[in-house]
Amino acid sequence: PKGDQEDVRNALVKFLGKLSNGNGIPDPTQVWNLTSYPCKDNWVGVKCDARFTVKRINLDHCNFSGIFDPSTLCSVQPLVASLTIISLNENTLRGENIDELANCNQITGFHIGGNQFSGSLPEAFSRLNNLKRLDISRNSFSGVLPDLARISGLTEFSAQENQLSGPIPHFDFSNFNTLNVSVNKFCCPIPRGGDLFNTSCYSDNPDLCGAPLANRCTSLPSNSSGGGGGGGVCKNKKAKEERYDPVNKVVATKDDSSLNSSFVSREYKSVVNKSGVSVASAESGPVSASLVVLTSPEVNGLKFEELLKAPAELLGRGKHGSVYKVICQDQGMTLAVKRIKDWGISSSDFRQRMQRLDQVKHSNVLPAVAFYCSKQEKLLVYEYQPNGSVFKLLHGTQLNQVFDWGSRLGVAATIAEALASFHA
């Protein structure tokens, strides 16, 4: 609606007025003003989707020396509903009403590295439930971090070169690709799982102790668990190394990994049957490594140990686990393997569900190839589908694809039909 577009335009002009402090923006031929519209007239630094809604604001390296005030954006309903990324890296900005950012609850990326923000990071940040990437590095933030571990989808956290103190939140480090909390005043033991990242990620925190640092703790708290982070150059030792463009959402792979290094536990790797794939039922105990194959004992000749050694690429993370693309070059096969976690289900119940899944024969239900189940690991194997995902279509990140409302309703209907077949 025109009224929404005017509200968004007015909010962005007000936002820029505080941000620029009279400096303007680099390209004088495309100015934010009240006589044009941000999406229709392609405002510099504003990215929109096909429906002319503002999705991202990227004003990195613009020499802004004013105030970042998220209340100018996050009090306008169209922006609250659509804005996903704000990137203001490498300016000289200060903050005002920073807690108001929590009202923009669709934010997935917030990048303000290399500015002059100070004070505590507001507790309201822990309510940014969709946040995946947070960069507050190279500022003057101080005090104790909010409970960012409440944000289950956070995958990157850059907080280096501040004056932050207190303990590191009890993140789940295994969810993260990158972390950097170096050059701060953090104290206390690094939460369990923090050794997934190397010492440089924690360096120059004199009162911080525990693995992977050489500074050992005299005692560990009984509830020490979790951990996490993202951003910077500190990478998860067990994750595939990636580079991320916060504006265009482009991930460039730097190297390959394998199932062995990507997600198979030490217990799982150590007991692989060297003779090949077993089609016996998987045991729930830690000594079992049977792969239950639902289609055939050997999938195009693929052996289980070959699956473990094959190159694996992380495709995405969800509420109950991660999905990997596994390329089995010798067999000319590509598989999708889901590692399931944080799902409170017993091994016997899991096996029963997998067997029921195998019995469902429906054109809209992709049959599983195999599964594995033990106390430590639950894996589900499918044939890889090369045509992208519904998530990417919904969020406009799948190139050269149109996903109008008719298409969306059609997909929703077919999903509902497939789900109904499970309960027939």
Side-chain angles (χ1 to χ4, degrees), residues 365-385:
V365 177
L366 182 68
V369 171
F371 72 88
Y372 170 82
C373 180
S374 76
K375 289 182 179 178
Q376 285 72 23
E377 298 283 354
K378 291 181 177 66
L379 306 176
L380 189 54
V381 183
Y382 287 95
E383 292 185 12
Y384 175 71
Q385 304 300 304

Side-chain angles (χ1 to χ4, degrees), residues 149-408:
R150 291 176 55 187
I151 308 174
S152 60
L154 196 63
T155 62
E156 297 182 8
F157 181 45
S158 296
Q160 69 269 25
E161 298 181 41
N162 281 282
Q163 300 174 33
L164 296 164
S165 59
I168 296 172
H170 286 237
F171 296 112
D172 180 358
F173 285 95
S174 64
N175 283 340
F176 284 83
N177 299 322
T178 55
L179 165 73
N180 198 334
V181 295
S182 62
V183 196
N184 276 286
K185 299 179 180 179
F186 286 112
C187 72
C188 313
I190 294 173
R192 186 177 303 157
D195 57 356
L196 286 173
F197 299 88
N198 60 41
T199 56
S200 66
C201 307
Y202 305 101
S203 63
D204 294 304
N205 286 279
D207 297 323
L208 200 61
C209 63
L213 297 176
N215 182 20
R216 299 304 174 189
C217 305
T218 55
S219 63
L220 290 174
S222 60
N223 65 345
S224 178
S225 64
V233 296
C234 296
K235 299 292 180 180
N236 187 323
K237 297 174 185 177
K238 295 187 177 181
K240 181 171 68 68
E241 187 172 356
E242 298 175 334
R243 296 290 186 264
Y244 180 72
D245 178 344
V247 178
N248 298 310
K249 300 183 79 171
V250 174
V251 176
T253 303
K254 191 171 183 182
D255 60 3
D256 282 331
S257 57
S258 67
L259 293 186
N260 240 339
S261 60
S262 294
F263 62 79
V264 182
S265 70
R266 294 175 183 174
E267 168 270 327
Y268 186 48
K269 291 184 288 184
S270 64
V271 293
V272 173
N273 186 342
K274 299 299 182 182
S275 63
V277 178
S278 168
V279 294
S281 296
E283 301 296 331
S284 60
V287 296
S288 172
S290 301
L291 181 72
V292 178
V293 179
L294 298 172
T295 55
S296 64
E298 295 183 356
V299 184
N300 291 345
L302 176 66
K303 295 291 197 292
F304 187 31
E305 63 266 29
E306 295 169 342
L307 180 68
L308 296 182
K309 296 175 183 178
E313 174 188 349
L314 179 65
L315 295 178
R317 290 186 172 90
K319 183 178 181 181
H320 292 301
S322 302
V323 179
Y324 298 82
K325 176 182 177 181
V326 181
I327 301 173
C328 305
Q329 296 175 342
D330 292 342
Q331 291 76 21
M333 296 177 55
T334 304
L335 300 173
V337 181
K338 181 166 186 177
R339 182 193 186 189
I340 299 171
K341 59 184 298 187
D342 298 330
W343 186 20
I345 183 174
S346 67
S347 295
S348 60
D349 286 344
F350 179 77
R351 291 197 300 273
Q352 290 177 7
R353 293 193 185 204
M354 294 302 102
Q355 297 293 352
R356 287 201 300 269
L357 177 65
D358 186 43
Q359 294 170 4
V360 175
K361 307 301 179 185
H362 192 278
S363 59
N364 294 329
V365 177
L366 182 68
V369 171
F371 72 88
Y372 170 82
C373 180
S374 76
K375 289 182 179 178
Q376 285 72 23
E377 298 283 354
K378 291 181 177 66
L379 306 176
L380 189 54
V381 183
Y382 287 95
E383 292 185 12
Y384 175 71
Q385 304 300 304
N387 294 325
S389 67
V390 174
F391 178 89
K392 288 183 177 180
L393 285 172
L394 285 171
H395 294 273
T397 59
Q398 195 157 304
L399 297 178
N400 301 320
Q401 295 286 339
V402 176
F403 203 41
D404 55 24
W405 280 111
S407 301
R408 291 169 187 243

